[in-house]
């Protein structure tokens, strides 16, 4: 007896092959993170927490019992909380100005306030060193030095994270329907009461998300604290570096890495919860409908105050940095970069420019390939709970100690078939780990916004899943790919925590060169650090301006 087999539509066959396609998309990202993140981190933790093959469970309490370690933990948490509060206090008025007011030069100023976010932390530290350090602007004018005080660290963190608040909170604020607040005013509420009862609850999740992001960045701060804090102040990240590279105490470094890992995991979990809240239904409108020219003395005063804060906190450090690099007559510090008589490196410091550009280009290619495949898999409608877990895994490189990753590279990738210590690819691999999360975060919203009916129509016409991706998804997300590549390039260019371990003396990167020059005595070394920082700042600023031209409203918040 013949049994008729049910017909399966092309769209149904495509859905049936969805699982295989998703596994195919995830194969490279999973292998990349397993080999170049999980394996090096596990290797250094095992090296530090195992003695004769036995895990030392009590080592955690031994380390926490040390008074200097408890002081590091306290300072790490305290300065992160203080930096977050100060950043919100200064940046929230800026978020309102960029969201609700329309004024000449607004787009240029938006790009200017975003420049610090893509700058390497080493350059941020060096810029504030030029303002508040030895021979800095404050030292020249009033004989005041802040480089050995916590205030320099706090304001440097505000400088670095100002754009996080402006972009995250201001992006939502600009789309909130102003008529809701106006209706409360018509019912008799004062401007402050209307804002507190209508606008603030809607902005609450965005403010919380921005605060958690700032707290995460400052909790894991390394370059800023290492340059400005000196021996008096140390965060967990700086202490991990000190225990690893100066004291060679891998056991203590491993314990501190576990502590930081747990803390960052908790922060990311809270951040994911706030993001889910933020995605709740709100009455949103076109941002062009909400921005108006300043009206009244109060709004004009607020705009003036924000412009002054941007001038003092952002433009002044960058301007002083450039001026310090020009102190030597005839561009002397820049010309010294080409000298082969360097006491710090085996090659002229100027070689760091070419090295950084080459490394960043390779890291960008890796990050875009891995991140695009991961984003394509995460964007599929049939992604389950385990895929959301993988999404969280992609964010871990931003929270795990970059120092641990860098030193783990040296320990784990030194035997065949992964003996990479003598190869140039080691640095781009470490930089790409930091770039992949940015690529995913930028591409994922755009991929999820692609109308699934377009894919189904292509499948009905006989297109394979790979052809659907190439001819439907890729043309729609091409601009997002370019934006993601730009951010990955800027982030890779400024990566310091891992690169400081694996960059060879004959092939230094720009951040490593800046840190080593700034840490040595002598006006020539100091001036060369300022010159290299200026070059790095210009390269990052150019990348950012290109991003501003490419950016679309659906290409992510940054």
């Amino acid at each position: 007896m013949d049994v008729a087999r049910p017909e399966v539509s092309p769209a149904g066959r495509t859905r049936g092959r969805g699982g295989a396609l998703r596994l195919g998309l995830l194969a490279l990202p999973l292998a990349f993170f397993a080999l170049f993140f999980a394996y090096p981190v596990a290797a250094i933790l095992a090296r530090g927490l195992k003695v004769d093959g036995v895990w030392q469970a009590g080592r955690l309490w031994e380390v926490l019992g040390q008074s200097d370690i408890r002081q590091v933990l306290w300072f790490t948490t305290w300065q992160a909380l203080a930096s977050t509060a100060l950043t919100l206090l200064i940046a929230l008025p800026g978020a309102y100005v960029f969201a609700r007011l329309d004024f000449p030069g607004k787009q240029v100023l938006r790009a200017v306030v975003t420049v610090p976010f893509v700058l390497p932390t080493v350059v941020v530290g060096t810029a504030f060193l030029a303002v508040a350090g030895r021979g800095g602007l404050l030292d020249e004018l009033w004989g005041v030095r802040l480089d050995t005080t916590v205030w320099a660290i706090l304001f440097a963190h505000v400088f670095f994270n100002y754009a996080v608040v402006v972009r995250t909170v201001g992006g939502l604020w600009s789309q909130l329907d102003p008529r809701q607040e106006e209706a409360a005013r018509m019912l008799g509420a004062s401007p402050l009461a209307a804002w507190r009862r209508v606008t603030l609850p809607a902005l609450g999740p965005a403010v919380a998300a921005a605060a958690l992001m700032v707290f995460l960045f400052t909790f894991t701060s390394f370059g800023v604290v290492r340059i400005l804090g000196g021996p008096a102040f140390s965060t967990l990240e700086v202490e991990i570096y000190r225990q690893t590279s100066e004291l060679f105490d891998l056991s203590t470094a491993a314990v501190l890495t576990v502590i930081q890992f747990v803390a960052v995991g908790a922060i990311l979990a809270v951040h994911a919860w706030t993001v889910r809240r933020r995605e709740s239904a709100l009455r949103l409108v076109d941002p062009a409908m909400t921005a108006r020219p300043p009206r009244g003395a109060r709004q004009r005063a607020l705009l003036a105050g924000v412009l002054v804060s941007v001038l003092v906190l952002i433009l002044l450090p960058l301007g002083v940095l450039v001026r310090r690099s020009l102190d030597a007559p005839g561009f002397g510090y820049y010309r010294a970069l080409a000298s082969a008589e360097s006491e710090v490196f085996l090659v002229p410091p100027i070689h760091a420019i070419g090295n950084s550009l080459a490394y960043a280009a390779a890291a960008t290619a890796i990050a875009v390939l891995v991140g695009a495949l991961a984003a394509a898999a995460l964007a599929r409608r049939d992604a389950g709970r385990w895929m959301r877990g993988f999404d969280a895994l992609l964010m871990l490189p931003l929270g795990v100690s970059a120092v641990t990753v860098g030193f783990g590279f040296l320990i784990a990738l030194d035997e065949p078939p992964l003996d990479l210590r003598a190869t140039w690819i080691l640095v781009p691999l470490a930089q790409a780990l930091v770039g992949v999360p940015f690529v995913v975060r930028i591409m994922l919203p755009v991929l999820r916004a692609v109308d699934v009916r377009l894919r189904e129509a292509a499948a009905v016409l006989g297109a394979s899943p790979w052809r659907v991706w190439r001819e439907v998804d890729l043309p729609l997300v091409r601009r997002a790919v370019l934006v993601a590549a730009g951010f990955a390039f800027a982030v890779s260019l400024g990566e310091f925590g891992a690169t400081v371990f694996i960059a060879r003396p004959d092939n230094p990167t720009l951040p490593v060169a800046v840190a080593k020059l700034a840490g040595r005595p002598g006006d020539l070394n100091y001036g060369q650090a300022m010159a290299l920082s200026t070059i790095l700042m210009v390269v990052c600023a150019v990348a950012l301006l290109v991003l501003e031209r490419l950016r679309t409203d659906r290409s992510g918040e940054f």
Side-chain angles (χ1 to χ4, degrees):
M1 179 178 179
D2 294 333
V3 178
R5 289 179 294 182
E7 293 291 332
V8 180
S9 68
R13 287 196 298 269
T14 299
R15 286 192 294 270
R17 291 178 291 183
L21 175 61
R22 186 166 60 249
L23 289 177
L25 292 171
L26 284 177
L28 182 60
L30 284 172
F32 178 77
F33 275 89
L35 290 176
F36 303 117
F37 177 67
Y39 177 46
V41 171
I44 195 170
L45 291 179
R47 181 74 63 92
L49 297 177
K50 273 187 175 182
V51 177
D52 297 328
V54 179
W55 289 95
Q56 302 297 306
R59 183 61 180 148
L60 173 63
W61 306 114
E62 292 178 15
V63 172
L64 290 177
Q66 302 174 21
S67 59
D68 56 335
I69 297 298
R70 290 199 302 270
Q71 178 62 31
V72 168
L73 293 174
W74 163 248
F75 178 74
T76 301
T77 306
W78 177 87
Q79 64 82 27
L81 289 171
S83 297
T84 302
L86 190 60
T87 302
L88 291 175
L89 179 66
I90 295 175
L92 281 177
Y96 171 82
V97 165
F98 283 103
R100 294 300 200 191
L101 301 185
D102 190 17
F103 53 92
K106 179 178 176 179
Q107 296 304 320
V108 175
L109 192 63
R110 186 195 300 271
V112 168
V113 300
T114 312
V115 166
F117 182 75
V118 298
L119 283 180
T121 55
V122 172
V123 175
V124 175
T126 308
F128 272 80
L129 198 64
V131 174
R134 169 181 53 86
L137 181 65
L138 298 181
D139 193 11
E140 282 186 356
L141 296 178
W142 298 294
V144 175
R145 288 183 57 183
L146 299 177
D147 55 324
T148 56
T149 71
V150 72
W151 287 106
I153 296 173
L154 296 182
F155 281 110
H157 284 158
V158 175
F159 170 88
F160 184 77
N161 293 291
Y162 187 92
V164 174
V165 177
V166 168
R167 294 280 188 167
T168 304
V169 180
L172 179 61
W173 208 336
S174 66
Q175 293 182 275
L176 291 180
D177 192 343
R179 291 173 296 184
Q180 299 178 69
E181 189 172 324
E182 291 170 359
R185 295 281 304 278
M186 291 180 64
L187 293 174
S190 66
L192 180 60
W195 180 83
R196 188 179 67 250
R197 296 175 182 175
V198 177
T199 304
L200 184 58
L203 290 177
V207 174
L212 283 166
M213 290 173 66
V214 174
F215 184 84
L216 175 63
F217 291 141
T218 53
F219 187 84
T220 57
S221 182
F222 177 56
V224 168
V225 178
R226 186 163 180 260
I227 290 178
L228 295 176
F233 302 106
S234 181
T235 57
L236 265 175
E237 189 85 355
V238 174
E239 187 63 20
I240 292 171
Y241 174 82
R242 190 176 76 91
Q243 295 287 342
T244 303
S245 64
E246 297 177 8
L247 303 180
F248 305 104
D249 187 351
L250 289 185
S251 178
T252 300
V255 170
L256 295 178
T257 297
V258 171
I259 294 172
Q260 184 172 351
F261 185 83
V262 172
V264 167
I267 296 170
L268 290 177
V270 175
H271 180 260
W273 178 72
T274 60
V275 168
R276 285 195 296 270
R277 284 190 61 202
R278 182 182 171 184
E279 291 175 346
S280 60
L282 292 172
R283 185 181 297 177
L284 303 180
V285 297
D286 187 344
M289 298 173 55
T290 64
R292 301 172 180 173
R295 294 179 298 180
R298 183 176 300 174
Q299 287 192 346
R300 285 193 288 269
L302 181 60
L303 175 59
V306 169
L307 293 178
V308 169
S309 67
V310 169
L311 175 64
V312 172
L313 279 174
I314 296 178
L315 294 180
L316 179 62
L318 298 180
V320 173
L321 174 66
V322 174
R323 187 179 76 84
R324 288 295 179 198
S325 73
L326 298 173
D327 275 352
F331 297 95
Y333 293 141
Y334 289 90
R335 288 188 288 107
L337 296 176
S339 173
E341 300 178 357
S342 174
E343 299 177 356
V344 183
F345 306 105
L346 301 178
V347 295
I350 199 171
H351 285 197
I353 301 173
N355 294 336
S356 286
L357 293 175
Y359 287 147
T364 299
I366 297 170
V368 169
L369 176 61
V370 174
L373 291 173
L378 291 169
R380 296 187 61 83
R381 306 288 180 179
D382 54 351
R385 182 176 300 177
W386 69 277
M387 289 295 292
R388 291 194 291 271
F390 178 70
D391 189 12
L393 174 66
L394 294 175
M395 297 295 292
L396 284 180
L398 295 181
V400 173
S401 168
V403 172
T404 300
V405 174
F407 200 66
F409 268 42
L410 294 182
I411 291 177
L413 306 180
D414 63 342
E415 297 178 358
L418 287 175
D419 187 2
L420 303 177
R421 287 201 302 177
T423 65
W424 65 271
I425 195 64
L426 203 60
V427 173
L429 286 172
Q431 294 174 343
L433 278 173
V434 183
V436 168
F438 287 93
V439 174
V440 174
R441 294 274 73 81
I442 290 171
M443 292 191 60
L444 191 56
V446 183
L447 285 170
R448 283 176 172 165
V450 175
D451 192 339
V452 69
R453 291 173 296 182
L454 296 175
R455 299 190 183 109
E456 292 176 348
V460 168
L461 295 175
S464 66
W466 289 105
R467 188 176 180 184
V468 169
W469 157 253
R470 187 177 67 251
E471 298 186 7
V472 175
D473 292 281
L474 186 59
L476 295 174
V477 302
R478 184 178 291 115
R479 182 166 293 183
V481 172
L482 294 175
V483 173
F487 266 105
F489 181 82
V491 169
S492 300
L493 197 66
E495 204 287 321
F496 175 64
T499 308
V500 71
F501 275 99
I502 56 182
R504 299 186 303 182
D506 57 340
N507 285 295
T509 63
L510 275 170
V512 172
V514 169
K516 289 189 175 181
L517 286 168
R520 292 179 65 90
D523 290 338
L524 181 60
N525 289 324
Y526 181 81
Q528 288 182 92
M530 297 295 171
L532 279 179
S533 295
T534 301
I535 293 171
L536 189 51
M537 179 186 68
V538 169
V539 173
C540 289
V542 170
L544 180 65
L545 290 175
V546 172
L547 292 182
E548 281 294 317
R549 294 183 62 87
L550 293 174
R551 185 179 63 87
T552 65
D553 289 336
R554 294 166 65 181
S555 295
E557 290 173 350
F558 283 96

